[in-house]
Amino acid sequence: MPLTLYSGERMMKTRAKALTAAFILFILSVKTFAADTEKIFAIISSDAQQYMLAYNGFKDTVGKNTKISVMSGTIKGGNENEIASAINSSDPLILLAVGTKALKFAKGIQGNRKIIHCMVFSEKEINDSNTAGIEFNIPESYKAEKIKEIIPNHGTMGVIYTGASEKQFLNLKKACEEKSIPLLDVKTQNGEDFPKALNRIKNRINLFMMVTDSALYYPGSVQHLFNESVNNGFGVIGLSSFYTKAGAVLSFDFNYYDVGADAARLAFEKFYNGVNGKPAESGRIVYSLNVSVAQKAGIDFSAGAVDKAAEVFGR
């Protein structure tokens, strides 16, 4: 009997050692195949200049602060499978998504990876413990404050909106009330009704604020707006420097390189403990002016406003 007891104990110890060894091998295998913390893969929605500037800002900032390797893939020509294969091969800890299309793609292959995104307009994209992004909407309160600063003789401002842009309109209305900017508004259904809506206010406004609304603004409605602004003597506040160059008097925009740099700082803050850097709040917001359009509309810019503009057209 003692011999039998001894054999049982020995067998139990042998099994325990085997289980311990197996557990160690399991841990080692998990560590071996875990995502590489020294790699980030950037998914870029297209090769548009704005996206590339944001990517360069991200990559440069990462390079200046860490030894992390940044790889990239640009979505074009149905190459999503190729990008997915590259991501699986490199197995990065973090995916950078530049633009809404890139974020949707990144979400589809995320797994246990972290996601940092920038240049995403959609409010439907919800951040969580593994996803964080740089806000890409310029607050209406910021615009109202800057309009007071840049155009002291702003007069009455007009705006047209649909149900899709009603939230932005309500924020604009509140901001104008707080900054004592008179506002005339018209709600419409779509871009086809835009001319009729504009006719209701075009003779009573000095400025017109465009809102982010793809149902409302397309090439035809934008061209009509610019023509009416010239004919009726009001200035348009556009959505980017592209609009300022085309005929808007003022537009708010982003320094896209800084947007990417802030995305890198956000990655440091969220997912890399010990790395210095936090996102800037408003330094990435810039504005552009069109001097000749302002003169035709009788709009005077404040002293120094032209010098502070990121871009100036119609000198």
Side-chain angles (χ1 to χ4, degrees), residues 130-148:
N130 289 324
T131 306
I134 293 295
E135 184 178 351
F136 202 56
N137 295 310
I138 300 174
E140 303 307 312
S141 57
Y142 180 90
K143 294 178 185 177
E145 181 179 348
K146 282 296 182 180
I147 289 170
K148 294 281 289 187

Side-chain angles (χ1 to χ4, degrees), residues 178-303:
E178 292 175 349
K179 295 298 179 180
S180 300
I181 299 176
L183 182 67
L184 290 179
D185 63 272
V186 180
K187 184 176 182 179
T188 187
Q189 297 300 315
N190 50 53
E192 294 179 0
D193 295 331
F194 183 81
K196 292 181 180 179
L198 186 59
N199 283 341
R200 294 174 56 184
I201 60 174
K202 66 182 182 182
N203 294 318
R204 298 186 288 159
I205 59 175
N206 306 97
L207 295 174
F208 181 91
M209 174 73 82
M210 295 181 69
V211 293
T212 305
D213 193 329
S214 57
L216 190 60
Y217 292 114
Y218 55 90
S221 63
V222 173
Q223 187 58 57
H224 178 77
L225 174 61
F226 286 155
N227 289 341
E228 289 296 281
S229 71
V230 173
N231 295 335
N232 293 276
F234 63 84
V236 175
I237 300 174
L239 302 173
S240 71
S241 61
F242 172 83
Y243 291 88
T244 313
K245 186 177 182 180
V249 68
L250 161 69
S251 294
F252 296 99
D253 207 345
F254 287 93
N255 181 317
Y256 298 104
Y257 184 92
D258 286 349
V259 169
D262 279 351
R265 297 184 185 107
L266 183 62
F268 299 160
E269 181 184 28
K270 292 287 186 181
F271 306 130
Y272 288 98
N273 292 332
V275 180
N276 293 325
K278 288 188 176 182
E281 291 300 325
S282 60
R284 54 184 176 268
I285 302 176
V286 296
Y287 66 87
S288 56
L289 300 174
N290 193 314
V291 175
S292 62
V293 171
Q295 290 174 344
K296 292 176 183 177
I299 295 173
D300 297 321
F301 296 128
S302 61

Side-chain angles (χ1 to χ4, degrees), residues 49-121:
Q49 183 182 17
Q50 296 94 323
Y51 291 142
M52 299 312 298
L53 283 171
Y55 166 66
N56 289 333
F58 181 91
K59 184 177 181 180
D60 290 350
T61 304
V62 169
K64 291 175 183 177
N65 291 276
T66 74
K67 294 182 179 180
I68 297 170
S69 173
V70 180
M71 298 156 287
S72 68
T74 302
I75 299 175
K76 54 184 176 181
N79 66 337
E80 287 86 351
N81 288 339
E82 181 181 333
I83 294 175
S85 179
I87 291 171
N88 288 332
S89 297
S90 58
D91 197 21
L93 171 68
I94 291 178
L95 298 176
L96 167 70
V98 183
T100 302
K101 184 187 292 186
L103 178 58
K104 290 180 179 178
F105 179 74
K107 282 286 190 180
I109 61 171
Q110 180 175 8
N112 293 322
R113 300 182 181 95
K114 315 292 185 181
I115 292 178
I116 290 289
H117 62 81
C118 63
M119 297 186 69
V120 175
F121 285 104

Side-chain angles (χ1 to χ4, degrees), residues 123-167:
E123 295 181 357
K124 296 180 181 179
E125 304 297 346
I126 301 174
N127 295 330
D128 53 37
S129 60
N130 289 324
T131 306
I134 293 295
E135 184 178 351
F136 202 56
N137 295 310
I138 300 174
E140 303 307 312
S141 57
Y142 180 90
K143 294 178 185 177
E145 181 179 348
K146 282 296 182 180
I147 289 170
K148 294 281 289 187
E149 178 183 316
I150 297 168
I151 309 175
N153 65 331
H154 50 75
T156 299
M157 185 160 62
V159 63
I160 298 172
Y161 65 99
T162 69
S165 51
E166 187 165 8
K167 181 178 179 180

